[in-house]
Amino acid sequence: MSMDTSSCFISLLILGLAVTLAGEAIGSEPTLPYLAPELRGQKLLVGANFASAGIGILNDTGVQFLNIIRIGQQLQYFQQYQQRVSALIGPEQAQRLVNEALVLMTLGGNDFVNNYYLVPFSARSRQFALPDYVVYLISEYRKILVRVHGLGARRVLVTGTGPLGCVPAERATRSRNGECAAELQRAAALFNPQLVQMIAELNREIGSDVFIAANAYQMNMDFVTNPQAFGFVTSQVACCGQGRFNGVGLCTVASNLCPNRDIYAFWDPFHPTEKANRIIVSTIVTGDAKYMHPMNLSTIMALDSRV
């Protein structure tokens, strides 16, 4: 059985919509959640989605959420997934499938929003000054990426954090006049360059461009700073929410709901709309060195198709 990059799409940590759109962009079928009962038989060969909203690099990130699947458990499921595929098509083909799969990972944002800055004087903010916390996060993330490589992943797309201070939730609670929250923006500005540097160092050690860095910060800032250029009327106000900028609480049946989500950059207080996500995915596929390092997804696919 011949497997190419587009035939298997294993998502460890990206949320569902981004997975669906990225898979769509490379011609893959949508991946099912790993724990879905329907994920069996030939559907296993499409890949799996191991994502769990609210988790982070650190185990104490997201403790306020119930039933989240932390990164360590996700990696155990990834290993279990490989065993199930091996039972289906044999160990050699299973290893090849995983080696040639595209693995998407996004971690880090929650370690700031749902940990360091979750409450004033949080445990982590008392333990670390922000620059030291970033260094600690990067060192812990490195261990995760090394483990992912050890589990057989050879094409891993790693997204940095978006502009954390510019989502409607942070504008609503941390800004005076609707500007992006400076301290969260500072966190992203510290974290993302160090992530790119760490990925480059890992690739040098491995001797191959296993890890691909996606500059999600810049991808988002393009439409956050100039929403009209992308067909949005606003990047301040969420389509669905309540309170200031529709940025308070979650999107529920009691929320304000915009009549046309396609003209909003943000769907809810935290997440971009489908249209905004499509812009991000398009940039991952074709973006230049400003956005993708050392190459974009279309280049990866072209290179791997020759193997």
Side-chain angles (χ1 to χ4, degrees):
M1 180 185 292
S2 175
M3 297 286 177
D4 62 19
T5 304
S6 62
S7 65
C8 185
F9 190 77
I10 298 176
S11 164
L12 287 180
L13 304 163
I14 276 189
L15 298 182
L17 178 60
V19 167
T20 301
L21 297 181
E24 184 182 294
I26 64 170
S28 172
E29 294 178 40
T31 51
L32 291 169
Y34 179 67
L35 298 179
E38 316 91 85
L39 185 66
R40 59 183 183 272
Q42 293 296 307
K43 290 186 178 179
L44 282 165
L45 305 184
V46 176
N49 184 350
F50 301 85
S52 180
I55 71 146
I57 297 165
L58 306 180
N59 280 333
D60 56 304
T61 292
V63 292
Q64 70 274 31
F65 302 121
L66 299 176
N67 302 320
I68 62 174
I69 304 171
R70 291 183 170 80
I71 180 61
Q73 181 63 60
Q74 291 186 33
L75 294 178
Q76 288 178 28
Y77 283 148
F78 185 30
Q79 195 166 15
Q80 188 182 94
Y81 165 84
Q82 295 183 48
Q83 294 165 357
R84 293 173 65 189
V85 172
S86 181
L88 186 67
I89 60 175
E92 185 177 331
Q93 290 292 351
Q95 182 177 358
R96 183 177 177 185
L97 181 145
V98 171
N99 288 165
E100 296 181 356
L102 176 66
V103 178
L104 298 185
M105 298 187 66
T106 182
L107 284 170
N110 285 327
D111 294 286
F112 296 107
V113 175
N114 289 320
N115 192 330
Y116 195 85
Y117 291 111
L118 180 64
V119 294
F121 309 108
S122 67
R124 287 297 188 184
S125 67
R126 293 196 306 272
Q127 181 183 10
F128 293 104
L130 180 61
D132 297 327
Y133 183 63
V134 170
V135 170
Y136 176 59
L137 286 180
I138 295 294
S139 69
E140 293 300 300
Y141 203 173
R142 189 184 193 281
K143 296 174 187 175
I144 293 168
L145 295 181
V146 167
R147 188 172 173 201
V148 169
H149 179 257
L151 289 171
R154 296 295 180 267
R155 284 299 190 197
V156 185
L157 182 61
V158 183
T159 67
T161 74
L164 301 173
C166 297
V167 300
E170 303 303 337
R171 291 182 193 264
T173 56
R174 297 180 186 272
S175 72
R176 179 169 296 179
N177 299 308
E179 68 278 4
C180 297
E183 189 64 11
L184 280 161
Q185 289 295 88
R186 177 173 172 244
L190 287 170
F191 178 84
N192 288 316
Q194 291 185 49
L195 177 62
V196 173
Q197 181 181 352
M198 181 264 283
I199 285 172
E201 290 170 356
L202 263 183
N203 284 339
R204 281 195 295 272
E205 289 178 19
I206 295 167
S208 176
D209 290 327
V210 169
F211 299 101
I212 310 299
N215 187 347
Y217 183 92
Q218 190 58 53
M219 294 176 195
N220 281 267
M221 282 304 288
D222 286 350
F223 59 76
V224 164
T225 56
N226 189 8
Q228 288 75 25
F230 295 87
F232 301 119
V233 297
T234 180
S235 59
Q236 281 189 321
V237 182
C239 174
C240 183
Q242 47 266 326
R244 197 172 179 227
F245 306 117
N246 271 352
V248 179
L250 301 175
C251 177
T252 69
V253 292
S255 297
N256 303 313
L257 181 64
C258 70
N260 180 4
R261 67 188 69 187
D262 285 343
I263 59 175
Y264 283 71
F266 286 92
W267 160 245
D268 67 9
F270 298 98
H271 302 108
T273 56
E274 179 177 341
K275 180 178 176 180
N277 271 310
R278 287 188 182 277
I279 294 168
I280 293 167
V281 169
S282 176
T283 308
I284 288 172
V285 174
T286 62
D288 61 21
K290 177 181 177 181
Y291 302 98
M292 301 294 296
H293 184 81
M295 68 190 90
N296 61 34
L297 186 51
S298 62
T299 303
I300 294 172
M301 293 174 65
L303 288 172
D304 290 349
S305 67
R306 299 174 192 170
V307 178

